[in-house]
Amino acid sequence: MPNSPVSDFAPPELRGRVAEPPHPEPPHPERRGRGQRRVAWAGARARNALRHPLPFGVAAGIAFAATLLALILVPRQAQRAFARLMPSPAEWRDTAAAQARVDSARTAALAARQRFLAARAAATAPPPAPPAPIVVLTPEQLRQRDSLRAAIANLQPALARVERSPLPASYRALGELPELAGEARVARLLDSLSAVEREREEFAALGGVDPVYVALTTRLNAIGRTIQQIAQEHVASAQQALDALRPEPPPPPPPVERPAIDTIGPMHALRAAETAQATAERALADARRTNARLAARAELARRGANFIAPPLAVLGAALVLALVAGYTAALVAELRAPRVADAAEIERETRRRVLAVVQPRPPVPDRDRRRADVRTPQLLDPMADAYRMLYLHISPTGAALPIVTITGEEPAVLATVAANLAAAAAEDARTTLLLDADLATGLVASALRVRPVPGVSELLRGEAAWSDTVTSAVFGRERVVDVIPAGRPLAPGRQPPPDDAFRLELHRLARRYDLTVMTAPLAHACRGATSMLPAPDVILCVRAAATHITDLRSAVSALQGAGLRLQGVVLWDDAVPAVAP
């Protein structure tokens, strides 16, 4: 059977053994369509753009200064341009003279219209009527007319008096008029009226109401009405006779000739006057429109020349444009070189599981109350959910040697994650060894506040024994983690390669512990068999909004190419911890 990847990192006496099969790669966490993946990718780029202060600040500052200068200088240039837009006096049109011409044309058109209407009325008027004939009566007819008018004039007042007061005296006065006195019927009626009146007077002396008196009164009224009726007949007959007096019709008058009236000349004069009026009105309207445009241009030029932008508005506009430009620059930088945004993107791009996401935690008020917590380094937070989840994932791996390597590009992140993973194992009552293989920085000793030397660099050079390098870091309630620091810093090109004796002693030492955690830079871990990694199990640490996606893919490929078994990825979504070397 061929050797497993463990055989490349095991000491000589352990090589050839069959290692446990590697863990299968987790399936892809998301089964999305192409459109959904594009949306997720665009959202991740937009979030990361806000997390790059450098391009954002540089672009925003440049845009703010440029916008501020533009908003200060451009209005001045605009004021000069607006001042040049003011119309000259020669461009204005004189509307007073045009109005005078319009008034004169209207007066001439009105006079021409009146002349035309008068000529047309004279041409269409009916011919003049002939003079009325003079009616002349004969002398006999004149005498007859006068007598009839006199009779009517005498009878009508008497009839009116009878209508107003129907008394015997009124009837007697009517019957005694000359027009009725010569008639026999009227004489007899007057005699009857006198006789009945005398007879009634005899009964009137007796007093009271006597039927004979009433009958005589009725008789008097009947006689009077008869006299009245005869008078009315005389008036009607006299009126008929008066109406019958008519002269003979005169001969027809000769026809009147209508004079010839010329309407063509007044009509042409009216059209010429109306044309002149329309021309004058159009000229006046054109002059007014021209002056209106010039007035609007002058007002615009005046406002533009006098406009002064408020300082707060200028600053606000410059700030808004600066923010837009800064975000655009950050977004463009992010699009050109995409960085890791969240755990979902890591799993989508690498098909590897994200074991933990380290995010900033609010300060714990009770941490400063106990002396043991005060002595604990500030970077240690073993009870955080991220480190607990990471430890729970590592603890049941079932590997022959419970050794895991924390690798990545950020030394401070590696030291903090490794220290907290070891502390979480110690909190679970596990004996834990923490070994710092980052010989260039050696930040584990600073993170746990232990002595930095002697360490791994002295072991590689043979300057110290293993027992001399092991130190203990105490935290919390007397929890202990054994630490082998990196020792004196060595440049990457000057680090001695580990030999088989070093790996054998490291394996022997790791057997004493329940869990061994090792930190190593990514470049060192990718060396494969020439590195000091005692086991192939590694955990890759990346920073959100800092690690490029291409670098993440390259790191995963390099670790797989080196024969390492990538357990998963830890996403550091916080500021870089301040660990001084």
Side-chain angles (χ1 to χ4, degrees):
M1 179 179 297
N3 292 337
S4 66
V6 178
S7 60
D8 296 336
F9 298 90
E13 69 272 12
L14 295 179
R15 294 179 182 176
R17 297 183 181 180
V18 178
E20 295 182 358
H23 294 284
E25 293 184 359
H28 196 278
E30 295 182 355
R31 297 297 181 185
R32 299 181 179 179
R34 183 176 299 177
Q36 292 178 337
R37 288 196 297 270
R38 289 178 179 176
V39 171
W41 186 86
R45 303 289 76 74
R47 291 193 301 271
N48 276 355
L50 296 174
R51 304 176 67 174
H52 299 307
L54 181 60
F56 184 91
V58 171
I62 295 174
F64 181 79
T67 305
L68 199 61
L69 290 176
L71 292 178
I72 293 175
L73 298 179
V74 169
R76 295 182 179 178
Q77 299 295 332
Q79 288 177 356
R80 298 190 185 96
F82 278 119
R84 290 192 295 269
L85 286 178
M86 290 292 294
S88 62
E91 297 182 25
W92 295 94
R93 304 286 294 276
D94 186 8
T95 57
Q99 184 65 46
R101 288 192 294 270
V102 169
D103 295 340
S104 176
R106 286 178 181 174
T107 303
L110 181 60
R113 186 177 293 106
Q114 290 177 354
R115 289 193 297 270
F116 172 71
L117 293 177
R120 187 174 63 178
T124 58
I134 300 175
V135 180
V136 180
L137 298 177
T138 62
E140 183 62 28
Q141 288 177 339
L142 291 175
R143 285 194 300 271
Q144 187 178 359
R145 183 191 63 183
D146 293 340
S147 62
L148 291 174
R149 288 179 178 176
I152 292 173
N154 290 334
L155 288 174
Q156 284 182 346
L159 287 173
R161 187 166 53 253
V162 168
E163 289 290 341
R164 290 192 302 270
S165 56
L167 299 176
S170 301
Y171 293 130
R172 184 178 294 105
L174 178 61
E176 290 177 354
L177 290 175
E179 287 78 14
L180 300 178
E183 192 171 350
R185 288 186 304 169
V186 176
R188 288 193 299 271
L189 290 174
L190 289 177
D191 294 341
S192 300
L193 182 63
S194 299
V196 173
E197 186 177 6
R198 286 194 300 270
E199 187 177 358
R200 191 185 65 166
E201 287 179 357
E202 293 177 358
F203 284 97
L206 298 177
V209 179
D210 187 60
V212 179
Y213 182 82
V214 174
L216 293 175
T217 302
T218 303
R219 180 68 182 278
L220 283 175
N221 292 333
I223 294 171
R225 284 194 296 273
T226 303
I227 296 172
Q228 181 182 2
Q229 184 176 3
I230 293 172
Q232 290 176 350
E233 291 176 356
H234 276 273
V235 172
S237 61
Q239 188 65 39
Q240 290 179 359
L242 183 61
D243 294 337
L245 293 175
R246 292 286 184 269
E248 301 235 350
V256 179
E257 295 183 1
R258 178 181 298 174
I261 299 175
D262 182 18
T263 59
I264 301 299
M267 183 178 65
H268 288 307
L270 175 60
R271 289 180 179 177
E274 289 178 348
T275 303
Q277 178 184 353
T279 303
E281 288 178 350
R282 284 196 299 270
L284 177 61
D286 292 341
R288 287 177 175 174
R289 284 194 295 268
T290 301
N291 289 345
R293 288 195 299 268
L294 293 176
R297 196 176 77 182
E299 182 64 22
L300 177 62
R302 190 178 300 108
R303 290 181 180 178
N306 296 332
F307 175 76
I308 298 176
L312 293 179
V314 172
L315 290 176
L319 182 61
V320 170
L321 292 177
L323 293 177
V324 172
Y327 181 77
T328 303
L331 183 60
V332 170
E334 174 64 23
L335 292 175
R336 294 182 63 182
R339 294 173 173 84
V340 174
D342 50 19
E345 187 170 31
I346 294 176
E347 294 178 352
R348 185 171 58 249
E349 296 293 338
T350 63
R351 297 182 179 271
R352 297 291 176 173
R353 185 180 305 167
V354 175
L355 305 180
V357 179
V358 181
Q359 294 178 336
R361 291 187 62 191
V364 181
D366 296 338
R367 182 163 182 173
D368 296 335
R369 296 174 58 185
R370 295 176 300 182
R371 180 177 298 177
D373 292 333
V374 172
R375 290 199 304 265
T376 301
Q378 293 294 328
L379 296 179
L380 283 186
D381 191 7
M383 300 309 294
D385 295 338
Y387 301 120
R388 295 294 299 171
M389 292 296 297
L390 181 60
Y391 165 70
L392 293 177
H393 179 81
I394 296 301
S395 59
T397 56
L401 294 177
I403 302 174
V404 63
T405 301
I406 308 298
T407 185
E409 294 289 349
E410 294 286 346
V413 174
L414 298 182
T416 303
V417 172
N420 281 277
L421 176 59
E427 286 286 344
D428 201 25
R430 304 289 184 180
T431 56
T432 307
L433 173 65
L434 178 58
L435 187 144
D436 189 4
D438 189 357
L439 304 184
T441 59
L443 297 182
V444 172
S446 300
L448 294 178
R449 299 178 185 174
V450 296
R451 56 175 176 78
V453 291
V456 176
S457 62
E458 285 76 14
L459 290 175
L460 292 175
R461 292 194 300 267
E463 298 176 357
W466 285 89
S467 58
D468 298 334
T469 58
V470 178
T471 183
S472 298
V474 182
F475 64 94
R477 295 182 179 273
E478 302 301 328
R479 299 298 183 186
V480 178
V481 174
D482 289 342
V483 181
I484 298 180
R488 289 194 301 271
L490 295 177
R494 301 179 59 186
Q495 297 176 4
D499 53 7
D500 293 339
F502 178 85
R503 292 192 181 93
L504 180 60
E505 291 298 329
L506 179 58
H507 275 275
R508 290 176 180 175
L509 182 63
R511 291 194 193 99
R512 305 175 186 176
Y513 296 92
D514 296 328
L515 177 65
T516 300
V517 181
M518 183 177 182
T519 63
L522 181 62
H524 181 79
C526 293
R527 293 179 183 177
T530 61
S531 67
M532 67 178 67
L533 271 64
D537 295 323
V538 295
I539 296 175
L540 179 62
C541 293
V542 298
R543 278 183 59 200
T547 303
H548 294 280
I549 295 179
T550 55
D551 295 341
L552 174 63
R553 295 173 182 169
S554 302
V556 173
S557 301
L559 292 175
Q560 290 178 347
L564 299 177
R565 187 165 50 220
L566 182 60
Q567 293 291 328
V569 181
V570 173
L571 177 61
W572 185 273
D573 194 4
D574 195 0
V576 178
V579 183

